[in-house]
Amino acid sequence: MRLVLFLLAIIGVSTSAHAQSDDIKLNSPEWLFGQRAAIQDISLSPDGKQVVFIAPGPGRDSRVYHVSLDDKKPKMITVSSGNPERATWCDFVSNTRIACRLYYINDDGGVLLSNGELIALDIDGSDLKPLGQKRSFYSTGRRQFDGYIVDWLPESDEVLMAWNFVPEVNAGSKINRTAEGLGVVKLNSKTGRWKGVEKARRFASNYISDGKGNIRIVGSSTIRATGDSGSSIRYSYRLPDSKKLLPLSNYDFSTRKGFQPLAIDAAKNVTYGLELHQGRMALFSVTLDGNLKKTLLYSHPQVDVATVERFGQDGRVVGVVYADEYVRTEYFDKSLESLAGQLSKALPGNPAISYVDSSEDERKLLLHSGSDRDPGRYYVFDRDSKQLNEIMLVRPQLENVSLSEVKPVTYKAADGTDIPGYLTLPPGKEGKNLPTIVMPHGGPESRDVWGFDWLSQYFAHLGYAVLQPNFRGSSGYGQKWFETNGFRNWEVAIGDIKAGSDWLIKQGIADPERMVAMGWSYGGYAALQSATTYPDRYAAIVAIAPVTDLRMLVEDSRRYTNFANVREYIGTGPHVQSGSPMQNVANISAPVMLFHGDKDLNVAVRHSRRMDQALKGAGKNSNLVIYEGLDHGLPDGVARAKMLRDISDFLNTSLK
């Protein structure tokens, strides 16, 4: 028995009134594709008999549900309104208690700040407790984040938690809190009582445990003389049963040089981490015994290792994850590899299988399967009875909608370099002389991967061909591909994107008179910059939350601790002017449509506002839509549906 029908009822009831009131018809394409994923986070209980998940409510609501897999009746535990806070993650502390993270952005005197709070509550929604340090009137500063859970302690309501300590000063008391920075405590989620495990360190950035409740690695951020954050992290470790910290490694996240530890194997007394090898990120192990012996465990000849695959209550490393044409997991644990292969073959379409969670004894597994034409579904597998039960769909409203195949493609850049990407064609169409959208990804240090994508699938559903290029500056393809970012080396990135449009025309796929550049974040920047650089190529431009001026991007960070890093990242020189769409609006001939949330912490809303003003001041065709109270991802199903409808209407007019 599935929970799908119940979830569809939740989505339909909670959004239909909002959809109709905003003139979005229920079950219209924009409604079907614009809704947020029905499962935004999901976890399996230690006994394997329950799940907790987060689902969207109306608009920007997020709702936490608990389900007993015996009666299969979801019960709502709590609601976060999205104004401003929303639940982003929940997991079981014990069989009767869960912990959840609330995230929100607030405006502090014109400066947007992200905030994260951790709470715990019983599975019936009662006995809610904050998990962060108790707030005090006498605190000397703001605590933006409570911290994070480092380790789950089995068979108890306790967790090992990294706490952000903020000191306090009370002139009328001799008892003041002096601890400052990130420390670790053993915390009872029901009583709030805690015991210090690691002293607060002012510049500590993260702690890594061995999965057995022991902190073995401490990461410390580097600080510049100006007080700004540096670009590297220094890692220290300790020997078993020792308190003394010893040097382990330095990792510079701007250059990706050095060893970055990710996890610890207590039994083998090693840490697993990533480091460059022959120009690509590879997986190494390093012994934590005083010798620091480093061993190469896995490297790929063409692409980077993205991360490690972890499994079980202790989060042990069981493989590596990388993406070439497809996302793949190379398992070290052959039993898990075999099981994933068998389950994939048993399911229609041979979808990719991933392990999401497991019971404490690892006999019951929470699995996710998905593909390009399947947005995803969750199963619980009983390893003893061999029963596989589908419990939830990620996007139930699309269950009976024809979706498009996503094909990995490669085309030549102007200098002969092979550029990888993904092509999505309308379902059931030959793919000739189509209106076409070139859709670069965000980042720029990101990449598109094979699978379901709601934006490209929506436009393919309407009859567009969609190309998602992984231009130079994208991550995942090695150091040479990644090293010069897509802002400083914008000419190469934008040239690679344009070469994709050339290829589409040469293949006969694209109608050259109906070519669109569209993107989100850096992708929006790339769409606008493409319009300034190749004004005759694109008939319309759509930019969602775009960077529009590189100098302004640097200035946006001035009141934050990463200012120096952003300044170095963007650099100085002629590219700051030539690589800023707002400074080159005179070159744009295509009509432009801009979308932006006014609580966007990634890219300030003024980028779109000033771009719109500059375009109109130059006599260009520009439209701007601002979403009040929404951040970079526009986490609101109604807002997304309206955006899809607005883009569709804009393109219908622009491509006539």
Side-chain angles (χ1 to χ4, degrees), residues 119-377:
I119 61 171
L121 62 164
D122 288 342
I123 55 175
D124 62 2
S126 64
D127 195 20
L128 188 150
K129 293 281 195 312
L131 294 183
Q133 181 191 32
K134 187 176 180 181
R135 299 185 184 276
S136 169
F137 176 78
Y138 302 103
S139 295
T140 60
R142 173 190 295 273
R143 186 173 74 249
Q144 287 181 244
F145 296 92
D146 286 340
Y148 62 94
I149 294 174
V150 181
D151 210 342
W152 304 90
L153 304 178
E155 300 179 359
S156 73
D157 290 313
E158 294 182 325
V159 294
L160 209 61
M161 182 172 167
W163 249 14
N164 272 319
F165 286 86
V166 177
E168 66 175 20
V169 175
N170 180 1
S173 172
K174 295 182 179 180
I175 303 176
N176 290 311
R177 295 192 307 223
T178 59
E180 181 178 9
L182 195 66
V184 178
V185 300
K186 185 177 183 181
L187 175 69
N188 188 299
S189 68
K190 286 189 72 72
T191 66
R193 294 175 181 170
W194 60 275
K195 178 182 178 181
V197 174
E198 291 283 338
K199 68 178 182 180
R201 295 175 171 88
R202 187 178 177 188
F203 301 121
S205 58
N206 62 309
Y207 293 90
I208 303 176
S209 84
D210 61 1
K212 310 294 182 183
N214 304 303
I215 301 297
R216 295 290 305 279
I217 294 177
V218 180
S220 299
S221 299
T222 54
I223 304 297
R224 302 170 187 265
T226 59
D228 290 331
S229 298
S231 63
S232 63
I233 297 177
R234 288 191 294 267
Y235 290 99
S236 304
Y237 80 102
R238 51 174 56 109
L239 301 170
D241 302 319
S242 172
K243 292 294 183 181
K244 183 180 179 181
L245 286 171
L246 303 171
L248 173 61
S249 64
N250 290 336
Y251 178 73
D252 190 313
F253 50 81
S254 67
T255 62
R256 306 200 307 170
K257 294 180 179 178
F259 175 75
Q260 181 186 24
L262 300 177
I264 295 171
D265 187 318
K268 296 180 180 179
N269 194 32
V270 300
T271 179
Y272 299 100
L274 301 180
E275 187 169 1
L276 287 170
H277 173 71
Q278 296 180 346
R280 288 171 292 276
M281 298 300 283
L283 182 70
F284 289 84
S285 68
V286 175
T287 60
L288 301 178
D289 57 0
N291 295 315
L292 299 182
K293 180 183 177 182
K294 186 180 295 182
T295 303
L296 174 64
L297 299 180
Y298 186 86
S299 64
H300 191 279
Q302 282 86 39
V303 297
D304 292 322
V305 171
T307 188
V308 292
E309 180 78 357
R310 304 180 70 167
F311 183 83
Q313 181 79 25
D314 58 356
R316 68 184 181 277
V317 173
V318 295
V320 296
V321 180
Y322 64 90
D324 45 24
E325 291 184 330
Y326 303 93
V327 178
R328 306 181 194 272
T329 301
E330 187 79 18
Y331 286 98
F332 304 147
D333 187 313
K334 296 306 176 183
S335 64
L336 292 177
E337 179 181 50
S338 175
L339 178 59
Q342 293 172 30
L343 292 172
S344 178
K345 291 178 182 178
L347 294 173
N350 294 88
I353 300 293
S354 59
Y355 298 103
V356 179
D357 207 348
S358 74
S359 59
E360 191 171 337
D361 63 7
E362 299 182 4
R363 304 312 299 167
K364 291 184 174 63
L365 308 179
L366 178 63
L367 308 173
H368 174 271
S369 75
S371 68
D372 52 351
R373 286 172 283 187
D374 182 351
R377 53 197 73 215

Side-chain angles (χ1 to χ4, degrees), residues 303 321-329 344 347-354 368-376 403-410 420-425 439 441 446-454 456-457 466-470 475-477:
V303 297
V321 180
Y322 64 90
D324 45 24
E325 291 184 330
Y326 303 93
V327 178
R328 306 181 194 272
T329 301
S344 178
L347 294 173
N350 294 88
I353 300 293
S354 59
H368 174 271
S369 75
S371 68
D372 52 351
R373 286 172 283 187
D374 182 351
L403 299 176
S404 298
E405 179 184 3
V406 179
K407 296 180 179 179
V409 296
T410 302
Y422 298 94
L423 178 64
T424 306
L425 298 177
M439 189 182 295
H441 58 72
S446 180
R447 60 158 292 175
D448 282 313
V449 295
W450 182 86
F452 175 84
D453 177 84
W454 63 278
S456 59
Q457 286 286 346
V466 182
L467 177 68
Q468 297 169 276
N470 281 323
S475 63
Y477 295 96

Side-chain angles (χ1 to χ4, degrees), residues 423-426 431 434-438 459-460 463-467 504 509-510:
L423 178 64
T424 306
L425 298 177
L434 297 174
T436 300
I437 297 171
V438 179
F459 288 106
Y464 292 86
V466 182
L467 177 68
L504 289 164
I509 295 169

Side-chain angles (χ1 to χ4, degrees), residues 484-485 487-490 550-551 554-555 558 563-580:
T484 304
N485 67 67
F487 289 119
R488 299 185 73 159
N489 203 20
W490 69 265
L550 300 188
R551 185 174 289 106
V554 175
E555 286 303 310
R558 184 172 290 278
F563 172 63
N565 290 336
V566 174
R567 184 175 55 194
E568 289 180 359
Y569 177 78
I570 297 300
T572 58
H575 73 278
V576 175
Q577 174 84 16
S578 63
S580 294

